[in-house]
Amino acid sequence: MNAKKVIIDCDPGIDDALALLLALHAPELEILGITIVCGNVPTTQGAENALKVLQFANRLDIPVYLGEAKPLQRDYVDAMDTHGSDGLGETYLPNVTQTRPHKDAISFLAKTLSQQTKVSIIALGPLTNIARLLQKYPNCLTGLDEFVTMGGNFKSHGNCSPVAEYNYWCDPDAAKEVYEAFTYNPLLKQKQIHMIGLDVTRKIVLTPNLITYMKFLSPRIGNFIQTITQFYIDFHWKQEGILGCVINDPLAVAYFIDRSLCHGFSAYTTIETEGICIGQTVVDAYDFWKKEKNSYILTQTDIFRFMEFFITKVFAVPSDTTRQMLQQILVVHTDAPLPQISQPCFSSVQTCERGVVL
Ligand code: BDR
Ligand code: CA
């Protein structure tokens, strides 16, 4: 099999950790490096967490690089309320000592993308590293194949404000620059950003039943997943009234490997950088502005097939067995939206605007 070369840019982060776990178990991918951006946790903590996942998967051969420590223009606001003060659900797993993170993610990205061909980026955090890369080395992207980002929202409501998703809200200026680059940069004009936003990721809920099944399949991996997700599950119960946790980032990895897992449409997209709608993804779905279509917006996904994909890869079990069990666990197998909640999400002031008092 010809593995696809990929750099994973992320901010681990509980769901980033699950996305890394999936990528590390996918023979379809050759992971050239993991670059860290400030997001869920500060960059140094994110790098420690990436190394912990690599160590768990016995893949410390993959290099981790420290990227930007703050957004392009805004003050940095982490998401430790969601991911825990260590970013991995307050598990405080010991730091990895055998190897340490390398400096300068931007140089690594520039060098790799200019010296190699057919390298893709899967971005699972704020787009600060990618925007800096474009600012510093606008001509380095000759080797870029595809660009997938977990971020944004089209029709779904936000998770940081009524209209904004965290990754784009955390650094809206970076997100805007990256989307603009796919409109105007001659090296990128022919390409589109694949946007795996909340419209699809909200549907991916890791429930306690699924975790129990995972523990039967492999106590080692299942326990690891249970340990790092418990904080996240508690958060979802308190904030959204759901039993389980929305795992956004693994869907971007799964979609990168198997395009049939999500469907969408092409459009021109930009990001609001000011005012009460800061961080909002503005998708010109009806082509009002007649601009170059710089993005492919994913709006539909198959929950059942994603779970089957995740479990068969991470736990190395046959699809048939997984499918039978999922038919029992995922009783309602539809693409229906999550149940309506009786109170607004993110009711506390802190989570409502992540520290910004309205
Ligand atoms: C995104 O924000 C982060 O908290 C998650 O890791 C994910 O990348 C979801 O809005
Ligand atoms: Ca993330």
Side-chain angles (χ1 to χ4, degrees):
M1 181 194 300
N2 258 353
K4 288 166 134 184
K5 289 188 280 185
V6 70
I7 296 171
I8 302 181
D9 186 67
C10 58
D11 59 336
I14 296 166
D15 59 335
D16 300 77
L18 296 176
L20 289 176
L21 213 51
L22 174 60
L24 293 166
H25 286 90
E28 295 88 346
L29 302 183
E30 180 191 349
I31 306 173
L32 303 178
I34 297 173
T35 52
I36 309 294
V37 66
C38 66
N40 293 322
V41 285
T43 314
T44 47
Q45 184 62 49
E48 298 295 350
N49 294 345
L51 288 172
K52 289 175 192 181
V53 179
L54 290 177
Q55 183 176 54
F56 178 79
N58 204 15
R59 290 301 310 275
L60 282 174
D61 57 298
I62 298 174
V64 172
Y65 293 88
L66 293 162
E68 297 297 296
K70 52 186 174 56
L72 294 187
Q73 295 181 34
R74 287 190 83 199
D75 289 342
Y76 168 47
V77 183
D78 63 52
M80 289 179 186
D81 57 342
T82 315
H83 294 263
S85 51
D86 65 345
L88 285 184
E90 306 197 343
T91 48
Y92 298 108
L93 300 168
N95 283 350
V96 172
T97 50
Q98 289 100 305
T99 182
R100 301 299 300 148
H102 302 268
K103 290 202 174 79
D104 205 352
I106 310 305
S107 298
F108 165 73
L109 282 157
K111 200 168 156 204
T112 310
L113 288 160
S114 52
Q115 291 181 354
Q116 299 199 33
T117 54
K118 290 215 148 267
V119 179
S120 296
I121 297 175
I122 305 177
L124 306 174
L127 295 177
T128 321
N129 283 347
I130 312 303
R132 278 274 182 250
L133 174 72
L134 290 164
Q135 287 176 350
K136 280 180 140 174
Y137 306 96
N139 301 322
C140 78
L141 293 167
T142 43
L144 183 72
D145 190 18
E146 294 182 288
F147 185 79
V148 177
T149 152
M150 188 283 128
N153 48 316
F154 168 47
K155 288 204 169 166
S156 167
H157 60 81
N159 59 5
C160 280
S161 81
V163 297
E165 179 280 330
Y166 175 73
N167 287 337
Y168 293 0
W169 176 88
C170 179
D171 195 344
D173 303 287
K176 183 173 179 173
E177 278 198 36
V178 173
Y179 276 83
E180 293 294 301
F182 278 76
T183 314
Y184 300 113
N185 185 323
L187 292 173
L188 298 171
K189 265 178 87 162
Q190 309 304 323
K191 298 184 185 292
Q192 292 189 341
I193 295 174
H194 296 261
M195 189 189 101
I196 298 278
L198 295 178
D199 302 86
V200 278
T201 65
R202 268 187 200 289
K203 295 168 186 162
I204 307 297
V205 181
L206 180 65
T207 61
N209 266 356
L210 285 165
I211 293 174
T212 304
Y213 174 43
M214 290 174 180
K215 284 167 67 182
F216 281 130
L217 290 175
S218 159
R220 181 174 178 270
I221 306 178
N223 278 318
F224 180 75
I225 292 178
Q226 183 175 45
T227 311
I228 65 170
T229 54
Q230 191 55 55
F231 185 95
Y232 208 29
I233 289 177
D234 294 345
F235 174 86
H236 278 79
W237 176 248
K238 279 184 246 147
Q239 298 295 330
E240 302 213 11
I242 62 169
L243 198 50
C245 54
V246 176
I247 50 168
N248 306 278
D249 294 337
L251 186 62
V253 172
Y255 166 78
F256 177 72
I257 300 168
D258 182 349
R259 293 304 145 87
S260 71
L261 289 171
C262 301
H263 295 284
F265 65 94
S266 296
Y268 170 76
T269 295
T270 189
I271 312 301
E272 178 57 68
T273 55
E274 284 172 357
I276 62 166
C277 292
I278 191 161
Q280 180 174 18
T281 318
V282 182
V283 179
D284 187 8
Y286 296 97
D287 206 15
F288 284 100
W289 294 329
K290 306 275 178 260
K291 287 197 169 190
E292 199 92 38
K293 293 183 170 48
N294 59 356
S295 59
Y296 190 64
I297 307 295
L298 284 313
T299 53
Q300 286 175 292
T301 190
D302 187 327
I303 304 159
F304 190 94
R305 286 196 52 238
F306 166 79
M307 283 301 174
E308 182 188 335
F309 186 90
F310 184 88
I311 291 168
T312 52
K313 295 273 179 236
V314 174
F315 294 87
V317 282
S319 287
D320 286 358
T321 338
T322 316
R323 219 172 290 141
Q324 276 175 21
M325 188 48 64
L326 288 178
Q327 269 155 7
Q328 200 186 99
I329 299 175
L330 299 174
V331 183
V332 188
H333 165 219
T334 69
D335 205 17
L338 291 172
Q340 287 297 309
I341 44 159
S342 53
Q343 58 179 30
C345 298
F346 307 114
S347 48
S348 74
V349 170
Q350 200 213 346
T351 27
C352 184
E353 268 287 291
R354 292 203 191 272
V356 180
V357 180
L358 289 169

